[in-house]
Structure formats: structure tokens, C-alpha cells
Amino acid sequence: MTEIISGERLYQWREWASQLAKENGISLSEVDWFLQGFSNLSSLSLRLNSYQNQAQIPLRAPLTILTEKWKQRISHRVPVQYLTGETPWRSFSLTVTPEVLIPRPETELIIDLAQQLVEHSPIAATLTSRHWADLGTGSGAIALGLAQQFPTATIHATDLSPKALEIAKLNAQRHDLSQRITFHQGSWLDPLSHLEGQLAGIVSNPPYIPTQTVLTLQPEVKKHEPHLALDGGVDGLDSIKELIRASATYLQPGGLWLIELMKDQAPIVSNLLAQQDSYTNITSHPDLSGIQRFVSAYKAL
């Protein structure tokens, strides 16, 4: 259901929502992000209030629905991405629901890192045209990024959650990448047994937050995002250890292993990779804040 309202009425609603946000410690920028999710207004138009004199502004939902949703943001700390049903990530607009983790801006770098690491490989041409896996795909963000970055590769995306896979498939359809990505339901590499020794790259943003730390996260995360995608066990490394152990069997010689992790985990993960004795060129990489956010390695040739 849609609704047409005047710019003046929307301005008054925005003023109300902004005051509510201010009183409850929520960034005022979220109000405009929220409104962009339900209208065609640009961030510039909202910032300059140039929409205020428009006679008609189409909304994708009635203003009463927007009011209810914004109250959920305030009282229940529901993330604005879940309220609008989408979030920007790289060049994509992704559908997100509480069934999937909201893709973070820092994760965008994992695609650029994959590209750079492939370029530095002695078998770069081979890697760009073979099978790649995004493990624990969630919304499908990394799979879409890999498909865009490596147009001649075949991308496989796995997830334990059937509902998450539904969202990932929808996002692939939204961006005309369904023919490039194959989706598999199951735990990590289990659904890809037919590709043992054939993967050119394994990329993942696995759960890496220690169980007790999950309970201390901000309510937007702790109460609303799927714990399956957050909780990495007592030390946060349960899934990462599994990926280190299993990936060596699935990667082709010279294949790339690349994951995201949390602050202070990079030295531990690098050491675990070295102990496996199947990987070379083990390297940690910082995010834009300087935190060692990623670790990469190559399967020994």
C-alpha cells in the first residue's frame, strides 16, 4: 500500500522523528536513512529540506506505518535496516530481514582484498575462472561481490539456514546474478563435497564473537540479529578453526583462503593456519580503522 502526502506534512513528521531520536540517543542521520527507504527522496533533498514545498510525495507505505516502525526503532531498538528491509553494500542494495546478519561496511573490503590477492598470485588467470565459495553467505553479500569482481568464476554460496538462503537468492535475483551463483543449504563446506580440491577461493565472514561478548553487544545487535551468525563459541574461534581444518581439502593448489575476524584474533588465526602446514603466505590485513580485520593464506602449491 502506498500513500501520497505533502512535503509540509512529511517535514512535520521528520521533525517529530528527529526529536524522538535525539531524546533516545539515536543518530539523526538514521531518520533520513529511514525515509529514503520508504520514498524516492535523496539525502541532499532531505538535508536541505527542499522537499518541504513539494505538493505530493509518494511513500511506499502509509505514514501511520512509518510512525509504528519508527517507534519500534526507539522503544525496541530494531535496526533501521530491518525496518526498511534493505541496506546498501558496495554497489548493491540488499534485502535484509532478521533472518540474516546486516552486512557491515568493513566487510566490503573483503572483495577488494580477494581481487588484490588474486592479482599477486602466480596462477591468477586460473583462479579468476574457477569455482569460489562464500561460506555462511547470509544475505548473499559476499557471493554477489565475488560474482561482480570475478565475472568468469562460478560462485557457490552455502548457509545452514534455509531462510537466510531465501534472502540470498532474492538478492541475487535483484541484481541479475542468479545465473552466476549456486546456493547450497548446509554447514560450511559440507554441501560442496563434489568440489573437493577444486575451489580457487574460499571467502567467509563467519561468527567470531565469543559467547559471553555477544551478551554485551548493543541491543540492536544482541536482540535482533541472528546469534547463529554472531556467536563463535567460548573463544570466538569455533567456526574459524573448522574452516582452517576443512578448507585445505577443498582448495586447489594455490587457492586463496580469506576470512573476516574481530580485533586481536589475527595473530591467533595466523598461528593456527601455520600449524596446519597446508598454507603459505599467511597475512593479516587491516580495515579502514587500522584493525587487523582479515587473514588470508594460499593453499601450498
Side-chain angles (χ1 to χ4, degrees):
M1 185 187 300
T2 60
E3 181 176 325
I4 307 295
I5 68 170
S6 69
E8 179 59 33
R9 188 178 175 204
L10 186 60
Y11 172 80
Q12 293 172 359
W13 187 93
R14 181 168 172 258
E15 288 292 291
W16 166 80
S18 297
Q19 181 60 34
L20 210 55
K22 185 177 180 180
E23 292 171 358
N24 288 274
I26 290 175
S27 171
L28 297 182
S29 64
E30 286 198 22
V31 179
D32 289 354
W33 188 0
F34 179 81
L35 285 175
Q36 285 179 269
F38 290 99
S39 72
N40 293 322
L41 294 173
S42 68
S43 59
L44 182 62
S45 174
L46 287 162
R47 192 163 61 250
L48 299 178
N49 291 326
S50 58
Y51 68 91
Q52 188 175 354
N53 296 321
Q54 291 181 224
Q56 295 186 327
I57 296 177
L59 295 178
R60 299 187 184 98
L63 200 60
T64 54
I65 298 298
L66 269 64
T67 298
E68 291 175 9
K69 285 181 176 289
W70 191 247
K71 287 180 178 178
Q72 290 178 40
R73 177 73 189 101
I74 300 298
S75 59
H76 300 296
R77 288 301 206 238
V78 179
V80 69
Q81 296 94 331
Y82 290 154
L83 295 173
T84 63
E86 62 180 38
T87 191
W89 195 82
R90 290 182 69 86
S91 62
F92 307 111
S93 180
L94 300 178
T95 296
V96 290
T97 74
E99 302 296 340
V100 300
L101 193 71
I102 298 167
R104 270 44 174 191
E106 58 264 27
T107 306
E108 296 183 11
L109 294 176
I110 206 168
I111 305 300
D112 299 314
L113 272 174
Q115 174 68 31
Q116 295 165 16
L117 290 162
V118 165
E119 289 175 353
H120 287 92
S121 167
I123 57 168
T126 299
L127 296 181
T128 57
S129 59
R130 297 289 180 87
H131 297 277
W132 283 70
D134 168 23
L135 306 180
T137 192
S139 66
I142 290 175
L144 268 65
L146 291 172
Q148 185 182 66
Q149 199 73 37
F150 303 120
T152 60
T154 299
I155 312 301
H156 301 268
T158 74
D159 204 286
L160 189 61
S161 166
K163 292 182 178 180
L165 284 176
E166 290 177 11
I167 301 300
K169 290 176 182 177
L170 176 61
N171 282 321
Q173 292 167 4
R174 286 185 65 179
H175 297 283
D176 298 320
L177 290 170
S178 294
Q179 301 303 312
R180 298 281 322 289
I181 305 171
T182 304
F183 295 93
H184 310 263
Q185 194 272 322
S187 177
W188 304 123
L189 285 156
D190 289 351
L192 304 181
S193 58
H194 60 292
L195 292 174
E196 283 194 25
Q198 300 180 54
L199 293 180
I202 290 174
V203 183
S204 183
N205 178 17
Y208 51 67
I209 302 175
T211 301
Q212 290 302 313
T213 303
V214 172
L215 302 177
T216 69
L217 297 175
Q218 62 192 95
E220 285 83 351
V221 179
K222 179 177 63 176
K223 293 183 178 180
H224 300 287
E225 297 202 64
H227 281 213
L228 182 66
L230 296 167
D231 191 339
V234 174
D235 61 359
L237 298 172
D238 284 2
S239 297
I240 294 174
K241 289 174 181 176
E242 171 64 17
L243 293 179
I244 292 173
R245 182 196 63 77
S247 296
T249 303
Y250 283 80
L251 285 168
Q252 69 172 73
L256 175 65
W257 189 90
L258 174 62
I259 67 159
E260 180 176 328
L261 31 68
M262 72 181 294
K263 182 181 180 181
D264 299 329
Q265 288 179 336
I268 301 170
V269 172
S270 297
N271 187 50
L272 290 171
L273 283 163
Q275 291 176 18
Q276 184 73 13
D277 203 31
S278 298
Y279 302 96
T280 63
N281 298 99
I282 301 164
T283 310
S284 62
H285 309 269
D287 62 16
L288 295 178
S289 300
I291 295 171
Q292 296 300 310
R293 178 70 61 184
F294 311 94
V295 168
S296 67
Y298 297 94
K299 171 76 175 293
L301 285 167

